[in-house]
Amino acid sequence: MSGTPAKRKRLSKPKRQKVKQGHKLVWLTLVIILVPVLVIGYVLLTSAKESDQPVEGNRFGPNDLNPKIQETQLNSIQNELMQIGGMETATIDLKSATLRVHLNMVDSADQNTLEAAAHQAYNIINEYLPIETYFTNSAEGKNYDLEIDSYNYIVDDNHPVDNWRFVKVSKSGAGDQVTDIITQPRNADLAEAVKNQDIQTPGTGDPAAPAEGETEDTTGDEYVDQEYVEGYYQ
């Protein structure tokens, strides 16, 4: 048997193990999730830090309010206003591009005195701040507004509303000078009718009888609607 050739063992090559792709998918998924989370977190964090700060804006352009009103000019106007006859106190403030002047006159000042003081203050302002330059809009930009209040007192327990008088002179950048008597109605007849509750509804014919809730007006063929009057004053 020695002549029988020995069988050779065939060596098997080791199989290549496939590299698993699972860990790559995990990392890709984490990146996809983390990116928007980080962006949103950053936005929320920056918003929280700035939440205690007011939002600042400016409604005026670079060519508006030119020239600008200076503090020295306001001080000079303040001194001049105190020289107006019958003046108790005069205050000035400049806010939101509006120059407001408050003239507190003596309690006995009548309407003519208040009007004269308001117009005198207007002229004083015009000397230091020319109206055409500071309170009139131009083709280049907007300018300031002007309001002048003149009154004899503030209504309280010791100062009745019956004798209260209030005059206002105003000039907007886009308009003309306007004088308003705040304590005097523009339509005296309407104010008197409201005060006396003498409001009538015009009749459309000769009704046979007043409708429910109405009383006949003996001065003509019209009727006073009491429910309308009561609702008007509420």
Side-chain angles (χ1 to χ4, degrees):
M1 298 296 295
S2 60
T4 304
K7 294 182 178 180
R8 295 180 180 177
K9 293 183 179 180
R10 182 179 295 178
L11 299 177
S12 59
K13 295 181 180 180
K15 296 182 179 180
R16 293 183 180 178
Q17 296 182 354
K18 295 182 178 180
V19 179
K20 296 183 179 181
Q21 302 294 329
H23 66 286
K24 293 184 178 181
L25 294 177
V26 171
W27 282 110
L28 180 61
T29 303
L30 290 176
V31 171
I32 294 175
I33 295 175
L34 287 177
V35 168
V37 170
L38 292 175
V39 172
I40 295 174
Y42 175 79
V43 172
L44 294 176
L45 182 62
T46 54
S47 299
K49 290 182 178 179
E50 298 176 358
S51 61
D52 58 340
Q53 299 178 359
V55 178
E56 297 181 357
N58 190 353
R59 62 189 177 95
F60 299 103
N63 296 326
D64 295 336
L65 307 181
N66 186 23
K68 295 186 180 299
I69 296 176
Q70 304 299 324
E71 188 69 24
T72 54
Q73 295 171 309
L74 297 181
N75 293 335
S76 299
I77 293 173
Q78 173 81 39
N79 295 332
E80 290 285 341
L81 293 177
M82 292 304 301
Q83 306 304 318
I84 297 177
M87 182 69 64
E88 287 190 351
T89 58
T91 58
I92 301 178
D93 64 77
L94 180 61
K95 295 180 180 179
S96 301
T98 300
L99 180 63
R100 294 180 175 88
V101 179
H102 308 285
L103 309 178
N104 183 13
M105 308 293 290
V106 295
D107 294 354
S108 59
D110 56 15
Q111 179 178 313
N112 293 332
T113 302
L114 297 179
E115 287 189 60
H119 287 99
Q120 187 175 348
Y122 186 91
N123 293 332
I124 291 173
I125 293 171
N126 188 42
E127 293 178 4
Y128 293 91
L129 303 170
I131 302 299
E132 292 297 325
T133 303
Y134 288 87
F135 302 100
T136 303
N137 294 345
S138 64
E140 289 75 20
K142 300 177 182 178
N143 273 319
Y144 296 91
D145 294 336
L146 174 62
E147 296 180 0
I148 303 174
D149 302 332
S150 179
Y151 52 90
N152 58 335
Y153 56 71
I154 301 297
V155 176
D156 55 23
D157 294 339
N158 298 323
H159 298 87
V161 68
D162 293 339
N163 296 323
W164 177 52
R165 300 177 184 88
F166 193 103
V167 176
K168 182 175 182 178
V169 175
S170 58
K171 169 68 174 71
S172 65
D176 299 325
Q177 176 186 350
V178 177
T179 300
D180 288 320
I181 312 301
I182 305 301
T183 51
Q184 176 179 311
R186 294 185 178 181
N187 190 327
D189 294 337
L190 177 60
E192 188 66 21
V194 172
K195 183 178 180 180
N196 297 330
Q197 299 186 5
D198 187 20
I199 301 177
Q200 298 179 353
T201 55
T204 57
D206 296 329
E212 183 179 355
E214 296 178 344
T215 58
E216 186 173 0
D217 184 0
T218 58
T219 61
D221 295 333
E222 297 177 346
Y223 296 90
V224 179
D225 189 337
Q226 298 295 339
E227 293 181 355
Y228 171 79
V229 173
E230 294 174 358
Y232 185 89
Y233 289 100
Q234 289 179 352

